[in-house]
Amino acid sequence: MIKPKVAVVGYGTIGQRLADGVARQKDMELVGIADVAPTLALRALKEKGMPYDLYCAIPDNISLLEKAGIPVTGTLDDLLKKVDIVLDATSAGIGQKNKETYEKYGLKAIFQGGEKNEVADVFFHGYANYEKGLGKQFLKLTSCNTTGLIRAVDCLDRAVGMEKVAITIIRRVADPGDYHRGLTNALQVDKAPSHQALDLMTIMPHVNATGILVHTPVTHGHIITLVATPKKKITKEEILAQFNKHPRIRVVRLADGFLGNASLFKYARDLGNPRGDMYEIAVWEETIVPSGNDIMFAINIPQEAVVIPETMDAIRASLEMQKDRLGAVGITNKYLGMK
Ligand code: NAD
């Protein structure tokens, strides 16, 4: 089997995890990563012995990287000549500019949630619309919240049909280590509907969605509460059975000590997961309650790692490595060590 060759451009919060994710896919080859400056992530990579070859996207900055003792294998153009597909995880908006370069090399590329939807042919989610990504040149992943939200809604939608969802997102304001949002102690409300609800409808147009987002001064995960209107009555036991069957959904219990986002982050660290990452969203069993004919529940979104599996699915779809959704997501799950 010829393994597709993959590049990761932008080695920040998401790029580091995408690189590790690709390295774990036994049917893909990570050729290298690209970035522009001696960031802490690159300094850490160097201290780990440069497991991935680094290419510099701004040739003038090669000396800057070398001055920091970080070996550089070549330029971004050198990297792009060697690969079949690019995972662009640069800061939001840069991907749109990079697209021209990817086009020049006739490459396929997968963009992350911070880019505008127009950057891609398809707005993609591995479980909800895998087939739409088949063979497409440019795919864009949903954002972290939308990725997790769609996992849960699609899971129940496939079981009983889903008419409507209304969501409240309690959003971590920054990633661990970020200083650019300041030292905050306030909540901030966005105007409704939040982009995650609109994005859900782009991917699942048959579900009517709306929602409100509240920024909170925490860094370890978002929490979303959902009020969902199923097409058929579904019991709590049936909901739990559906969630329990889903390889990317982890059902947890308050009674077991999973009290909130911080418990899940700590648990991921106790599992020994690199960087305290968790690929799965979590659903709290005790939050699943009926509200008239609707159902309500809360999920945890580990924002730094949640989009990694669906991005691996996007590679599979774009390169038509697997034609069927469940075959593709199953292989991704296996290599990432999910149930
Ligand atoms: P980040 O700032 O942590 O990393 C971006 C990296 O890209 C940095 O290392 C930067 O040096 C590098 N970069 C900038 N310009 C570049 C260029 N021209 N060529 C190569 N590298 C360049 O950002 P992030 O949080 O990893 O976000 C990346 C994308 O993922 C965004 O679209 C974001 O919206 C999306 N996303 C972020 C999260 C999250 O929780 N952080 C979750 C899901 C999706």
Side-chain angles (χ1 to χ4, degrees):
M1 181 188 62
I2 300 170
K3 295 183 185 183
K5 295 180 172 16
V6 184
V8 172
V9 177
Y11 192 69
T13 302
I14 297 299
Q16 293 177 68
R17 290 166 169 85
L18 288 177
D20 293 351
V22 174
R24 291 177 70 171
Q25 306 294 305
K26 294 208 172 76
D27 55 354
M28 300 178 193
E29 181 190 339
L30 178 69
V31 177
I33 57 152
D35 210 295
V36 292
T39 57
L40 288 187
L42 289 179
R43 288 176 197 270
L45 186 75
K46 183 214 151 198
E47 201 168 322
K48 287 197 283 188
M50 294 303 287
Y52 309 135
D53 287 343
L54 168 68
Y55 295 78
C56 187
I58 302 180
D60 286 350
N61 284 5
I62 291 179
S63 57
L64 211 63
L65 286 155
E66 286 176 344
K67 223 179 269 167
I70 301 168
V72 180
T73 303
T75 62
L76 177 63
D77 288 78
D78 296 332
L79 175 61
L80 297 182
K81 282 178 200 151
K82 297 181 189 170
V83 299
D84 303 301
I85 191 160
V86 179
L87 305 184
D88 187 297
T90 54
S91 328
I94 306 272
Q96 178 71 53
K97 296 185 192 137
N98 286 347
K99 185 179 170 185
E100 278 175 33
T101 317
Y102 307 147
E103 273 172 330
K104 189 175 94 188
Y105 287 101
L107 285 174
K108 296 191 163 184
I110 319 270
F111 297 95
Q112 290 298 320
E115 299 301 323
K116 298 234 162 69
N117 284 2
E118 300 79 74
V119 78
D121 308 315
V122 177
F123 196 19
F124 181 83
H125 188 286
Y127 271 83
N129 70 350
Y130 182 82
E131 294 81 1
K132 288 217 166 117
L134 281 174
K136 293 290 184 318
Q137 186 175 4
F138 297 118
L139 276 65
K140 187 196 119 161
L141 259 286
T142 43
S143 71
C144 48
N145 270 310
T146 316
T147 301
L149 174 66
I150 288 181
R151 269 189 212 165
V153 175
D154 170 76
C155 170
L156 299 180
D157 185 41
R158 287 180 192 272
V160 288
M162 192 56 66
E163 202 171 293
K164 182 172 85 60
V165 291
I167 59 175
T168 302
I169 300 179
I170 300 142
R171 183 184 192 274
R172 71 86 182 98
V173 74
D175 285 327
D178 281 351
Y179 280 86
H180 66 280
R181 313 255 190 207
L183 308 173
T184 52
N185 186 17
L187 301 180
Q188 186 184 324
V189 182
D190 274 3
K191 80 172 187 318
S194 72
H195 85 76
Q196 294 84 357
L198 301 177
D199 290 351
L200 183 140
M201 285 193 286
T202 310
I203 291 202
M204 304 178 73
H206 55 287
V207 179
N208 181 348
T210 191
I212 295 172
L213 183 145
V214 182
H215 299 270
T216 59
V218 300
T219 60
H220 290 151
H222 317 291
I223 289 177
I224 305 181
T225 71
L226 292 89
V227 180
T229 309
K231 289 201 171 133
K232 282 196 298 202
K233 196 165 170 48
I234 183 167
T235 64
K236 176 163 180 167
E237 290 64 39
E238 287 164 337
I239 293 172
L240 272 172
Q242 291 300 332
F243 284 153
N244 269 315
K245 267 200 317 215
H246 199 297
R248 296 185 194 169
I249 299 178
R250 179 184 282 265
V251 177
V252 297
R253 291 169 7 116
L254 295 168
D256 293 337
F258 289 101
L259 303 185
N261 60 332
S263 318
L264 282 153
F265 183 72
K266 183 162 186 306
Y267 193 71
R269 288 205 302 192
D270 293 344
L271 285 174
N273 291 358
R275 304 184 178 97
D277 282 353
M278 197 171 273
Y279 293 131
E280 301 97 335
I281 61 166
V283 180
W284 280 277
E285 184 174 322
E286 295 94 330
T287 65
I288 305 173
V289 281
S291 164
N293 290 329
D294 294 345
I295 48 172
M296 198 174 178
F297 55 94
I299 60 180
N300 183 73
I301 309 282
Q303 84 276 359
E304 297 165 291
V306 72
V307 298
I308 309 307
E310 272 79 357
T311 308
M312 302 301 114
D313 302 337
I315 301 175
R316 299 183 181 285
S318 177
L319 297 177
E320 300 184 270
M321 293 173 72
Q322 288 80 33
K323 294 273 189 195
D324 69 303
R325 180 179 74 92
L326 289 179
V329 298
I331 296 176
T332 300
N333 294 345
K334 184 177 83 177
Y335 289 144
L336 292 181
M338 282 179 288
K339 72 183 178 200

